[in-house]
Every structure is written in C-alpha cells, then in structure tokens.
Amino acid sequence: MKARIAVLPGDGIGPEVMPQALQALEAIAKQFGHSFEFRHADVGGAAIDKTGRPLPDDTLKLAKESDAILLGAVGGYKWEGLAYDVRPERALLGLREQLGLFANLRPAKLYPMLADASTLKPEVIIGTDLLVVRELTGGIYFGKPKGIEKTADGERGVNTEVYTTPEIVRIAKVAFEAARKRRKKVMSVDKANVLESSELWRRVVIGVAKDYPDIELSHLYVDNCAMQLIRNPKQFDVLVTTNLFGDILSDEAAMLTGSIGMLPSASIGSGVGMYEPIHGSAPDIAGKDIANPIATIASAAMMLSYSFNLDQEAAAIERAIVRVLEQGYRTKDIQSPTGKLVGTQEMGRLIRAELGKA
Ligand code: IPM
Ligand code: MG
C-alpha cells in the first residue's frame, strides 16, 4: 500500500524520537512492500518561532491532506509566558478540533520485564493491560463561556464543562467496540455525584450499553478511579471518560507501566487519525540523546493498525520492541540495576535490527 504521512516532530525531544519512528516505518515498508511518503511540517513552539503561530495554516492543510499524522510533542520553557491562544499546546487542541479527533486511545500495558521500573510494587502492576478511551474534543477543554475577566475585586477565570448526548454516544461506542476486541469490560468514569454534565454522561453511557449486551459496563467516580488505578489496576479493561478526567487518569495509568516514555496514543474521529507518544516534549532532557523513543515507535505501530489496517506490520514492531527489552536494553527512564543503558538513537537502531531479523 501507499500512504502519505504528515510528520510533525514539534519541540523538545519530539525531533529526537521522531526519526527513530520514521526509520522503523521505513524498515516495515521495505520488508512488507509498502510505500510511505513522509511530509514534514512545523508545529508547536517550532512553528511559533518561524511563523508566530503554533498551528500554521500550511501545517493544518498538510495534516488534512494526509492519510495519517505522526506527531512528536509540543511545548517548552521558552514559550511558557505566551498568551494561551498562541501557546504550543494550542496546536494540539487545534488539530484535535479541526480534524474532529474526538476519541483518544491510550493503552497502558505493562511489559513484565519492566515491572521493576515502576514506582509501584511488582505484584500490584504485573498483569496490567488497560485502555483509556478519553473524549478529546469536548468537555472543559472546549466548553464556553471561558476566559478571564476583570472584576471589582480582581479577576474571574471561567471554564465550562459541557457534554451533549451525541458527543457522549459516539465516545461510548468507541469504548464498547474496543472492549469487544479485548476482555469485554467497560468502566465509565465520571463525577455524577456532583456534576450535572456527569449525570448526563452516565445516563447516556447506560443507554448506549443496551446495544452491547455482551459487554459488562460499570461506573466509578473519578476520585475513586484514581485510587483504584494504583490499588488494583488489573481490574480494568477499557476505561471511558471525559477530556479532563482522561488527561489526568492516563498519566496515572502510564506510571503503572514503569515509564510514560513507553506509551503510545491514537486520536481518531471520522477521517485522518493522529498518533503521538503521550509523554510530551520533556525539555529538561531534550538534545541529550537520552529520551526513550519506544512510545513514538509504538505510536507508529498504532498508526499502521488503526489507520491502515496493517495489523501484521504493527505486531512486527511490537514484537521487535519486546525482544529488545528482553535482551536487557534500557533507556534511562526505564533503566534497572542490571539493564544495558542505551541512548535514543541506539534504542531505535536495536529495534530496527530486530525488525530486520523477523
Ligand atoms: C495530553 C496533554 C495535552 C492535553 C496538553 C499538552 C494540551 O497533556 O495530550 O495529555 O491536556 O490534552
Ligand atoms: Mg496530558
């Protein structure tokens, strides 16, 4: 197959991990007879420096005209003082909104050989294999009214948590469909004991569940869920939740697997999908060849599977990652006393070498 992939490396460690993912894709293309055309564009702080805007029109256009998007990370100290509407993070929100990427899939699966890299006890986390389905274009991230206004005694900052029936129905369906391919359990996470928007969320999810009698649906309040995630993560299969709760719980879920440097994500909607590591730009370690490229390489694997239906190819990448970890190679974030410490580029090369052996 032929595919056009928009490549948006972004900031911080983004431009360091991205080449490793692209080279893994090249290796797959060669091995399986595909052709991937990579088309690069600036996003986030890199785009601000060149054009003054985090998501230039050209970048958005390129993204829209591609078959899939691979994104590194955005943000950094340099741009932290800027106004909200021109910050690097806006690029992500803009892409999500403009491309209608309403569902964010964040799998958190523990590789058993990394159990000692987590801050949690091995017996708690071994067996963790869950998927956070986060609503991505609604909720408090986008709700109106929003803003900061002057008042008699200072200022007033406002954001609005809002969900409509269709928004909840479509994300619930994504979660139930995903559960069908997994262990057939969905946990819907809300704050229905306090928030009206959550009361509606729960009611609508229960309605959608009627079409999925084969799936076991349960509900948790978000505070309890945060606790259950570190108390007994094995109980979870698919978690479905709002934009803000999903943002928070997916970082927590990442730590169950040892390092946020391991976790990929997919953002999907009706058209083009966007794939990115969940770790962010990590400006503190940028430019040192120590970042873990696995999350980005695994994001490329998710792209192959979700956007192009190339499940075999995606599995090949995942197997290569596992083999390299089995051989004891570790980047700094997942290093153990007996691990063989390698840098970003070397980790990428090792994974490609494994791909070549398959
Ligand atoms: C994420 C990030 C983003 C979010 C930020 C960078 C806008 O934290 O993808 O989880 O809050 O969605
Ligand atoms: Mg986040």
Side-chain angles (χ1 to χ4, degrees):
M1 75 161 297
K2 274 186 188 261
R4 284 169 312 175
I5 299 166
V7 177
L8 314 180
D11 310 318
I13 60 173
E16 283 177 76
V17 291
M18 184 61 81
Q20 303 312 319
L22 299 185
Q23 289 176 53
L25 285 171
E26 292 284 16
I28 287 286
K30 219 169 125 192
Q31 207 172 318
F32 291 83
H34 304 302
S35 134
F36 301 132
E37 185 195 330
F38 301 130
R39 304 192 296 171
H40 286 70
D42 291 314
V43 74
I48 295 174
D49 288 350
K50 284 196 194 159
T51 69
R53 295 166 59 200
L55 182 58
D57 292 341
D58 288 349
T59 301
L60 184 59
K61 186 161 176 281
L62 179 91
K64 281 186 175 163
E65 290 169 355
S66 299
D67 299 310
I69 304 161
L70 199 56
L71 188 137
V74 297
Y77 310 126
K78 186 174 169 190
W79 306 283
E80 264 167 20
L82 295 175
Y84 266 49
D85 54 338
V86 290
R87 280 210 199 166
E89 288 79 2
R90 275 289 132 190
L92 272 186
L93 302 177
L95 282 164
R96 291 169 183 173
E97 189 178 26
Q98 294 294 320
L99 298 170
L101 302 170
F102 66 85
N104 185 214
L105 311 181
R106 298 185 162 187
K109 184 173 174 175
L110 177 77
Y111 293 94
M113 55 283 195
L114 294 187
D116 58 2
S118 175
T119 50
L120 287 134
K121 293 198 189 94
E123 62 266 32
V124 173
I125 54 173
I126 286 174
T128 296
D129 179 5
L130 58 86
L131 173 71
V132 178
V133 176
R134 169 190 177 193
E135 199 291 324
L136 204 58
T137 51
I140 200 164
Y141 273 53
F142 292 94
K144 293 196 173 107
K146 64 191 264 175
I148 301 177
E149 60 195 27
K150 296 240 179 310
T151 60
D153 50 4
E155 286 171 292
R156 184 170 174 270
V158 182
N159 288 94
T160 305
E161 169 81 357
V162 41
Y163 274 110
T164 63
T165 311
E167 284 175 319
I168 305 168
V169 167
R170 65 185 183 180
I171 193 70
K173 282 186 178 163
V174 170
F176 286 114
E177 293 291 341
R180 272 200 172 145
K181 297 188 190 151
R182 298 174 47 101
R183 300 194 305 279
K184 301 194 165 44
K185 291 201 305 183
V186 170
M187 178 67 75
S188 173
V189 182
D190 60 39
K191 189 71 188 174
N193 50 345
V194 177
L195 305 176
E196 278 82 356
S197 61
S198 271
E199 184 193 319
L200 179 68
W201 177 279
R202 188 175 287 215
R203 188 150 36 85
V204 173
V205 171
I206 290 172
V208 174
K210 298 210 170 81
D211 293 334
Y212 296 87
D214 50 324
I215 307 294
E216 178 193 325
L217 171 68
S218 327
H219 307 270
L220 270 183
Y221 298 137
V222 63
D223 49 350
N224 188 8
C225 182
M227 183 175 73
Q228 295 296 335
L229 266 174
I230 47 173
R231 195 184 72 87
N232 176 20
K234 281 177 265 235
Q235 67 184 293
F236 297 113
D237 180 16
V238 174
L239 289 152
V240 61
T241 192
T242 63
N243 204 342
L244 181 64
F245 295 163
D247 179 46
I248 299 166
L249 295 177
S250 60
D251 268 30
E252 189 187 1
M255 253 342 266
L256 300 171
T257 68
S259 168
I260 200 164
M262 297 292 299
L263 295 193
S265 78
S267 300
I268 55 176
S270 39
V272 50
M274 182 162 87
Y275 302 84
E276 57 180 308
I278 85 160
H279 53 57
S281 60
D284 52 326
I285 61 162
K288 298 181 181 164
D289 193 46
I290 56 177
N292 187 345
I294 292 179
T296 309
I297 296 172
S299 297
M302 281 189 97
M303 177 179 79
L304 294 176
S305 165
Y306 284 85
S307 278
F308 307 145
N309 282 318
L310 299 177
D311 289 335
Q312 247 189 308
E313 288 82 342
I317 293 185
E318 278 147 22
R319 265 197 313 275
I321 293 172
V322 169
R323 284 213 203 91
V324 169
L325 294 172
E326 276 168 359
Q327 290 157 31
Y329 294 105
R330 302 283 186 269
T331 43
K332 196 169 174 229
D333 55 311
I334 50 174
Q335 173 62 330
S336 70
T338 56
K340 300 178 226 170
L341 186 64
V342 295
T344 310
Q345 296 182 43
E346 180 61 6
M347 181 57 94
R349 195 195 61 75
L350 287 162
I351 292 169
R352 282 197 300 286
E354 277 305 322
L355 277 173
K357 285 182 206 162

